[in-house]
Amino acid sequence: MATQNQELRNAGLKVTLPRVKILQLLEAAEQDSHHLSAEDVYKSLLDSGEDVGLATVYRVLTQFESAGLVVRHNFEGGHSVFEMAKGDHHDHMVCLDSGQVLEFCDPTIEKRQHEIADEMGYEIVDHSLVLYVKPKEK
Amino acid sequence: MATQNQELRNAGLKVTLPRVKILQLLEAAEQDSHHLSAEDVYKSLLDSGEDVGLATVYRVLTQFESAGLVVRHNFEGGHSVFEMAKGDHHDHMVCLDSGQVLEFCDPTIEKRQHEIADEMGYEIVDHSLVLYVKPKEK
DNA sequence: TTATCTGCAAATGGTTTGCAGCCGA
DNA sequence: TCGGCTGCAAACCATTTGCAGATAA
């Protein structure tokens, strides 16, 4: 779609096959509220018969992040995941059993964070809140 | 001090020179509310003329963590820091200008986290909240 | 003595980079 | 055409592991 090509152009990036493909994958994953790792993207591309290198996947994802197209999250264990930047902010809840990642956003917490930083003489540039959970006991 | 040796024994660990030294370093750092990386600990040991390997530092810190003696935090950028487990839980605020790490604990946020997880059918095993901040504008 | 520990070096795993050739504008 | 892009392989960096020798109990 022209929409994607335009997004790339706006970011000052040439419209190339790897970039378009990766952008499509990220948008498709968005439907399943799925967070993709670089490895995930790489494997999907290979499965689709595309011939891209893992290095390119990282380069493209990093460029997308710089362009503000995607957001990168660093979870425990040196693993990073990427998702489309949908404008809204939200935090994450990772299920230690299934590995599933759920999103949530709580105004109360957001508000307190700013109050706390303010009280200590700072302002928040960014923040990361991840809850590591397991299914409630029966 | 005998206190430290006892802590090690309680953890089921032999009282060896590297372990005692590392424990002392961590406790000393506690005074400055300083969070040490494995590399920090390693360098301090070398400066003190001790002959320990970086691998041992990692092994000892990991053992301490398993024993509940220290807590490990994973900040952005694949860096981990360690600090003595003082019983109380707290979150972190990292100043992007100075790199300084401040601690805080907010009951309101803690409470909401549990409520949120509960509402979604989970219980919290662990969580990580880090605020990346900068000094307030004049 | 002997099970545990340690230093060293080599292995790992995720991510980045150098480089020669490729390709979109 | 030509500078940006790509694949490949090698480099990186924090952390882990295998192993033979060292050491606390």
Side-chain angles (χ1 to χ4, degrees):
Chain A
M1 319 152 172
T3 319
Q4 295 167 341
N5 297 2
Q6 200 49 49
E7 286 183 295
L8 290 176
R9 267 187 273 270
N10 291 342
L13 300 170
K14 278 189 184 173
V15 178
T16 63
L17 199 131
R19 306 224 252 234
V20 174
K21 282 290 174 190
I22 292 176
L23 197 49
Q24 287 178 350
L25 273 179
L26 287 168
E27 293 188 338
E30 205 56 12
Q31 315 299 307
D32 321 319
S33 76
H34 216 93
H35 298 63
L36 300 176
S37 67
E39 200 73 26
D40 291 334
V41 173
Y42 178 59
K43 287 198 189 115
S44 292
L45 289 173
L46 290 193
D47 288 348
S48 311
E50 302 298 335
D51 178 34
V52 294
L54 180 54
T56 299
V57 173
Y58 276 106
R59 268 187 295 234
V60 170
L61 287 174
T62 302
Q63 290 160 348
F64 285 2
E65 188 195 7
S66 303
L69 281 176
V70 311
V71 181
R72 178 192 201 129
H73 299 286
N74 300 296
F75 290 161
E76 301 282 312
H79 254 257
S80 295
V81 294
F82 300 82
E83 66 178 322
M84 292 299 296
K86 293 175 309 196
D88 70 321
H89 161 76
H90 57 261
D91 294 307
H92 294 94
M93 193 154 76
V94 180
C95 177
L96 296 176
D97 273 14
S98 65
Q100 195 182 12
V101 179
L102 300 162
E103 299 174 357
F104 71 88
C105 185
D106 185 76
T108 308
I109 292 180
E110 299 293 319
K111 181 155 157 283
R112 279 301 294 152
Q113 287 178 353
H114 283 92
E115 290 171 359
I116 291 165
D118 191 65
E119 281 165 22
M120 297 175 92
Y122 292 92
E123 54 183 284
I124 294 181
V125 175
D126 192 12
H127 78 265
S128 152
L129 170 58
V130 184
L131 304 182
Y132 296 93
V133 303
K134 64 175 181 183
K136 224 186 295 187
E137 289 305 331
K138 59 264 109 195
Chain B
M1 297 126 206
T3 319
Q4 293 167 342
N5 297 2
Q6 200 50 47
E7 286 183 294
L8 291 176
R9 267 187 273 269
N10 291 342
L13 300 170
K14 279 189 184 173
V15 178
T16 63
L17 198 131
R19 305 223 251 236
V20 173
K21 282 291 174 189
I22 292 176
L23 196 49
Q24 286 177 350
L25 273 178
L26 287 168
E27 294 189 336
E30 205 56 11
Q31 314 300 307
D32 321 318
S33 76
H34 216 92
H35 298 61
L36 299 177
S37 67
E39 199 74 27
D40 291 334
V41 173
Y42 179 59
K43 286 196 191 121
S44 292
L45 289 174
L46 290 192
D47 288 349
S48 310
E50 301 299 335
D51 178 35
V52 295
L54 181 53
T56 299
V57 172
Y58 276 106
R59 267 187 297 233
V60 170
L61 287 174
T62 303
Q63 290 160 347
F64 284 2
E65 188 194 8
S66 303
L69 281 176
V70 310
V71 181
R72 177 191 201 130
H73 299 285
N74 300 294
F75 291 161
E76 301 283 312
H79 255 257
S80 296
V81 294
F82 300 82
E83 66 178 322
M84 292 299 295
K86 293 175 308 195
D88 68 322
H89 161 75
H90 57 260
D91 293 308
H92 294 94
M93 194 154 75
V94 180
C95 177
L96 297 175
D97 273 15
S98 65
Q100 194 182 14
V101 179
L102 300 162
E103 299 174 357
F104 71 88
C105 185
D106 186 76
T108 308
I109 291 180
E110 299 293 319
K111 182 155 156 283
R112 279 300 295 152
Q113 289 177 352
H114 283 93
E115 290 172 0
I116 291 165
D118 191 65
E119 282 166 21
M120 298 174 91
Y122 291 92
E123 55 183 282
I124 293 182
V125 174
D126 192 11
H127 78 266
S128 152
L129 169 58
V130 184
L131 305 183
Y132 296 92
V133 303
K134 65 175 181 183
K136 222 187 296 185
E137 290 305 332
K138 58 268 111 188

